[in-house]
Amino acid sequence: MTESPRIAVIGVGNEFRRDDGVGPAVVARLRERASDRPLPPGAALASSDGDPGRLIGLWEGTELAVVVDAAHAHPGHPGRVHRVDLDQRAARHTGAASTHSLGLGEAVELARALGRMPGHLIVYAVEGADRSLGTGLTEAVAAAVDPLAERVEADIARHRDAAARGADPEP
């Protein structure tokens, strides 16, 4: 049996629905950057369609899970990023902000009920503009990918440094 990664970064979305592909785009960018900025050992990058069971399987047993997903907001500001630290707030979330019918909110509630939550869960929700069929992010959402990859790397570094000190990472 293989050991679970200590850190999981999960990009949720569908690359064939324009801005819904922002999660996988951030994961792809982190993979590209890994040659110059390697992630710590035990870190895994993955993409998911948002199915609650698959999300739980990807983050189960991890110390830190970072999830990047597209969000739907009215009125929206395409490219605006929201950071939610689910360790710091109640998990009662309907998933309405996600672009997926069953999504992250349901995965969190189910994982809590089953005792399969990661040690620390950070969610980045990126407001999108276009979920129509097609590939490629809109300009505003594409502009958020690099800064968001940097924020995820900073979260991982903060977690790694806190673990080395034997402290809880700061949100």
Side-chain angles (χ1 to χ4, degrees):
M1 180 174 187
T2 62
E3 187 175 321
S4 295
R6 293 179 26 195
I7 299 168
V9 179
I10 306 164
V12 176
N14 181 341
E15 297 170 273
F16 299 102
R17 301 235 13 143
R18 304 276 300 170
D19 287 344
D20 190 50
V22 69
V26 170
V27 167
R29 186 65 183 126
L30 288 166
R31 278 194 180 103
E32 291 169 9
R33 294 165 65 116
S35 61
D36 295 328
R37 299 170 146 162
L39 295 173
L45 299 172
S47 292
S48 173
D49 61 2
D51 174 78
R54 283 190 278 282
L55 284 171
I56 292 169
L58 289 168
W59 74 41
E60 182 180 13
T62 62
E63 296 170 7
L64 171 67
V66 180
V67 177
V68 181
D69 194 3
H72 185 68
H74 287 293
H77 294 81
R80 180 167 53 184
V81 177
H82 303 268
R83 183 183 191 273
V84 179
D85 187 323
L86 292 178
D87 292 341
Q88 301 299 322
R89 50 169 67 187
R92 291 285 171 203
H93 185 284
T94 64
S98 175
T99 60
H100 311 284
S101 59
L102 282 178
L104 191 53
E106 289 81 3
V108 168
E109 289 186 32
L110 181 58
R112 282 195 195 270
L114 297 173
R116 295 173 64 185
M117 283 290 290
H120 190 89
L121 178 61
I122 298 169
V123 176
Y124 285 102
V126 183
E127 292 184 30
D130 184 355
R131 294 180 303 174
S132 64
L133 291 176
T135 58
L137 304 174
T138 59
E139 187 176 328
V141 172
V145 171
D146 280 338
L148 186 49
E150 290 175 13
R151 289 175 72 179
V152 170
E153 289 172 335
D155 286 326
I156 292 170
R158 220 176 355 267
H159 174 80
R160 181 195 61 223
D161 294 346
R165 291 189 319 271
D168 287 331
E170 305 244 348

